[in-house]
Amino acid sequence: MQRRASLSIVIAALVACCPIPGATAAGPLTGRVIVVDPGHNPGNGSYPSEINRAVAFGAGMKPCDTTGTATNDGYPEAVFTLDVSYRVVALLRKEGATVILTHTRTAPAWGPCITERAAIGNRNHAAAAVSIHADGGPASGHGFATIVPAAPLPGVGLTAAMIARDRRLAIAVRDAYTAATGMPFSSYLGSQGIFPSNAYGGTNLSRVPKIFIETGNMRNAADAARLESAAFRQRAAVGIAAGIRAFVA
């Protein structure tokens, strides 16, 4: 019980949240706040009761967070997403952006919950927010997709105008990502690299432009080989950062 109380205090302090230390260069994104949300957290598996707590995600209830997926040889999605996210942060900072991470390699120990991930962007009035993931789809499926809300949710204030704005961000990131990586559009999620869905609290609850990107399918052998490559992860980061820059600037 004491551990949970202490963690709550730590998380409350950190999810305000996590600027990367060091100077930000002047550039075309100077004065703009970008939130980068690494999917899941490598520590989630050690906190099952915390991450399995149900939260309201705008279209019902679901777990606070999950452990994410992994490649067949055990490379975790949560490790992948942190690696790519740090690369994206470095690129955006060179463009002058103030970049906030929803969590870092060291803190918080788990999560944060999907509700808090959305709230971080809202509190900081982000010009754009991107949640970086890798999917655990069917082994026969391949490719990447960006995810946007499918329909307005009046109960949480999600409007058609917000969804249209999210879709513009999704298109910018989709186009830049495929140009940088050569990764094809998903063969099983959505169409033309865009998957509309109200199943994601991170986008349902966001009041700033926010999307998810499933950068590839970890359960597909060809995609997994790419995702495990540091060179590919850098290209992925270049594509995501370029898409954010095109939307914001």
Side-chain angles (χ1 to χ4, degrees):
M1 199 65 179
Q2 180 62 43
R3 186 190 70 172
R4 291 188 184 183
S6 299
L7 279 171
S8 297
I9 294 169
V10 171
I11 290 168
L14 286 168
V15 296
C17 179
C18 310
I20 296 292
T24 296
L29 298 183
T30 297
R32 311 309 294 273
V33 175
I34 309 296
V35 169
V36 176
D37 178 23
H40 313 287
N41 184 320
N44 279 355
S46 298
Y47 297 89
S49 61
E50 287 86 349
I51 68 168
N52 287 323
R53 177 173 62 86
V55 297
F57 71 97
M61 304 291 290
K62 68 190 307 183
C64 154
D65 203 3
T66 69
T67 58
T69 189
T71 62
N72 290 335
D73 61 3
Y75 179 51
E77 178 188 4
V79 173
F80 167 85
T81 62
L82 271 172
D83 183 279
V84 174
S85 294
Y86 270 73
R87 295 169 189 266
V88 171
V89 169
L91 292 165
L92 290 174
R93 289 189 42 171
K94 288 180 180 178
E95 300 286 335
T98 298
V99 188
I100 295 171
L101 281 166
T102 59
H103 65 99
T104 70
R105 291 188 177 110
T106 58
W110 58 271
C113 291
I114 55 176
T115 49
E116 183 59 28
R117 290 170 187 263
I120 289 167
N122 296 343
R123 286 197 299 268
N124 288 282
H125 307 289
V130 174
S131 189
I132 299 173
H133 288 259
D135 198 30
S140 60
H142 65 272
F144 84 97
T146 56
I147 300 174
V148 297
L153 295 170
V156 293
L158 179 65
T159 68
M162 291 175 183
I163 295 171
R165 183 185 59 186
D166 293 343
R167 191 176 182 89
R168 290 194 296 272
L169 174 58
I171 290 170
V173 172
R174 176 200 67 181
D175 291 350
Y177 185 81
T178 196
T181 66
M183 182 74 84
F185 299 149
S186 176
S187 62
Y188 62 96
L189 281 179
S191 175
Q192 296 299 301
I194 297 180
F195 177 44
S197 174
N198 284 125
Y200 300 88
T203 46
N204 290 348
L205 302 175
S206 179
R207 297 297 162 265
V208 302
K210 184 171 183 179
I211 65 167
F212 281 46
I213 180 168
E214 296 284 5
T215 52
N217 179 11
M218 286 193 141
R219 296 299 188 177
N220 176 273
D223 281 11
R226 287 179 163 188
L227 299 173
E228 291 184 6
S229 161
F232 178 85
R233 294 195 297 273
Q234 182 63 25
R235 293 195 298 273
V238 167
I240 292 167
I244 293 170
R245 180 175 63 247
F247 174 80
V248 171

